[in-house]
Amino acid sequence: MPTDRLKRQAEAGARRRAPESRSAPNYPGTLPLVTVAKVKGAQRVAAIDDLAAKIGIKPGMALADARAMCPALLVAEADPPAEAATVTRIVDWCRRFTPLVALDGDDGVLLDIGGVAHLFDGEARLLDTVEGGLARQGFSSFGAIASTPEAAWALARFVAPARFVAPKIAPLTSTSADEGFDRTVADLPVAALRLDAEIVRAMAQAGLRRVGDLLLRPRAPITARFGPQPFARLDGLLGRTKSSIAPRFEAPAYLAERRFASGVTQQGDVEAALLPLARHLCVLLSRNREGARRSEATLFRVDGAVKRIVIGTSRPTRDPEALLALFRERIAAIGEDGLDTGYGFDLIRLGIVSAEPLKPFQEGLVADPDPMGGDLADLADRLGARLGLRRVLRFADHGTHIPEFAVVAMPAAHQPAAQASPPSKSTTARSEDAPCRPIRLFERPEPIDTIAAVPDGPPLRFRWRRVTHEIAAIEGPERIAPEWWRNDAALTRDYFRAEDREGRRFWLFREGLFNQETAQARWFLHGLFG
């Protein structure tokens, strides 16, 4: 893969230059190509192409030895970040075959094709389609299909020819090599179990070189000598233990897609394709009495590039027109350059990543108890689609009675589904009895200098930001004690609502109980009333 990436770059450069440059003597593809990396101060071969492999160059070989075998060898520095980004793009491209795609090491991709192989006329045709698509992009691949990820990994790397479709491997009930055991798996080297290099060398010295050698011997002596890893990996290879993959993206709860014979290049055509997909998904949501909260449109371009457009809603919805409007906002925000249709999209997929229960409701006849709720939610959704979900915030209650921490800002689209109901009498009574809070609350209380008649009494005047304020009226205290379940050094606060002679109103508090928590209490200004 690293050498394929360099050849792709050379191909792109050649297309921009004169066509004659592709026939130059040092053009990648005409000479062996390797990448090198420094290992313990020495230049070592990190990756090779097919031509370098044919003349005997191997990864890990010293660069001087490789040059001795081929003086005309093309050498490039290894670029791990760029190589990792290339593999990530390949993983995203493979999502066109199944939503469950995972990165496997530095150069592998795992696809869970359970239930999707029939869409491509069988497993063999699916493997041909994947390998053919990668080949058209300039990547050589070695694929295999098996019933377990471990078996597929081993067959793709150690079976010749490289591509191999394995039959279903039934879990064995004994350790013998018969009873339906696949001979191909038995002939695999021990390294196919993905063991540590030291264990592989030690097992080779003991005469255990093939997977079949482990099956013909009792487990206890081998486990006592080499540890539990060999047979744990063997059980995974044979399907005796269940294993799973970690997909790069969460699998959508609802999914719909549309394929095109020729690439779609117009923004309007992309939006037109999303509408019927949204209608189909909304029907599925209605059947399950759910609404979409987070939706994702994935656009697969003909040349392998993948574009993802994500939208979120502040409340569950199954209105296809509303979803399409949010996607239009998002597409308009990223613009033509961000969408970059290129040669066109041949596959457009729409998925509902997150859904929440949404009971059927009737519009009209009954007054909405929260007439502004829907309008505000729609506004938050449109702003989130245009500016980004994390840039549109709302305030939410936090589980603490410390004023500066009682409210937190969170993305508006992440709030839980609210059940619209008129406020009860008990709730109204509590809101009326609750002490009022200032309109403007400082993020951090600001210290002030005060003068009081007695040490533990309210202040007569205070100085804040170089201005002295004479207090005309004061009300309090409202005591807020520190939270006993937190192991911190917080002190008790006594809050006062004060008004100066000019009519300005302040929210003050004294920190620390006099002669109990502190010998010299400090005063702070925490907010301003209107």
Side-chain angles (χ1 to χ4, degrees), residues 435-476:
C436 60
R437 291 291 182 259
I439 295 178
R440 180 184 177 188
L441 185 70
F442 297 154
E443 183 176 358
R444 293 182 178 180
E446 298 185 8
I448 58 176
D449 298 325
T450 62
I451 297 178
V454 293
D456 59 345
L460 300 177
R461 65 175 64 89
F462 67 92
R463 182 177 179 85
W464 173 56
R465 295 183 180 178
R466 300 180 182 181
V467 177
T468 301
H469 299 269
E470 296 286 342
I471 295 180
I474 192 166
E475 181 182 6

Side-chain angles (χ1 to χ4, degrees), residues 196-428:
D196 297 337
E198 297 180 359
I199 296 179
V200 173
R201 287 194 295 267
M203 296 183 76
Q205 294 175 358
L208 303 174
R209 294 180 173 84
R210 300 180 307 111
V211 173
D213 296 336
L214 296 178
L215 293 169
L216 296 174
R217 288 168 172 78
R219 292 193 172 207
I222 297 177
T223 302
R225 181 172 180 181
F226 301 105
Q229 188 183 44
F231 280 104
R233 297 291 175 83
L234 179 61
D235 290 339
L237 176 67
L238 300 178
R240 292 171 176 170
T241 58
K242 294 183 179 180
S243 57
S244 59
I245 66 174
R248 171 170 161 77
F249 295 105
E250 179 183 1
Y254 302 88
L255 188 65
E257 65 180 35
R258 182 176 179 182
R259 298 177 182 270
F260 301 89
S262 59
V264 176
T265 58
Q266 299 297 322
Q267 176 177 329
D269 295 337
V270 173
E271 297 174 356
L274 289 175
L275 181 57
L277 298 179
R279 288 174 176 168
H280 176 70
L281 294 182
C282 287
V283 171
L284 299 179
L285 289 169
S286 179
R287 291 175 182 174
N288 295 325
R289 295 188 176 185
E290 290 185 327
R293 286 296 305 274
R294 187 167 177 265
S295 306
E296 176 187 83
T298 309
L299 313 177
F300 296 88
R301 213 165 62 187
V302 174
D303 59 354
V306 181
K307 300 294 181 180
R308 296 175 59 246
I309 304 175
V310 181
I311 63 169
T313 59
S314 55
R315 57 178 180 172
T317 180
R318 47 175 176 257
D319 183 358
E321 299 291 345
L323 293 177
L324 179 61
L326 295 180
F327 276 113
R328 284 174 176 167
E329 290 281 355
R330 190 60 189 152
I331 293 175
I334 62 179
E336 291 287 348
D337 295 336
L339 188 60
D340 191 14
T341 57
Y343 295 102
F345 302 109
D346 62 343
L347 172 61
I348 296 180
R349 176 179 295 163
L350 180 61
I352 306 298
V353 180
S354 176
E356 291 182 358
L358 177 60
K359 296 181 179 180
F361 60 92
Q362 178 177 339
E363 297 182 355
L365 298 182
V366 179
D368 189 353
D370 185 13
M372 292 299 295
D375 295 337
L376 292 177
D378 294 340
L379 175 61
D381 294 343
R382 292 196 301 271
L383 293 177
R386 179 167 290 273
L387 304 177
L389 297 176
R390 296 184 178 275
R391 295 183 179 180
V392 182
L393 306 177
R394 69 176 183 89
F395 291 109
D397 294 333
H398 187 55
T400 180
H401 52 262
I402 306 301
E404 59 266 35
F405 303 125
V407 177
V408 295
M410 62 179 300
H414 293 174
Q415 67 177 349
Q419 299 295 334
S421 60
S424 62
K425 295 182 179 180
S426 58
T427 304
T428 306

Side-chain angles (χ1 to χ4, degrees), residues 22 137 169 287 304 318 418 457 512 516:
R22 297 189 59 176
Q137 298 178 46
I169 303 175
R287 291 175 182 174
R318 47 175 176 257
Q516 296 183 28

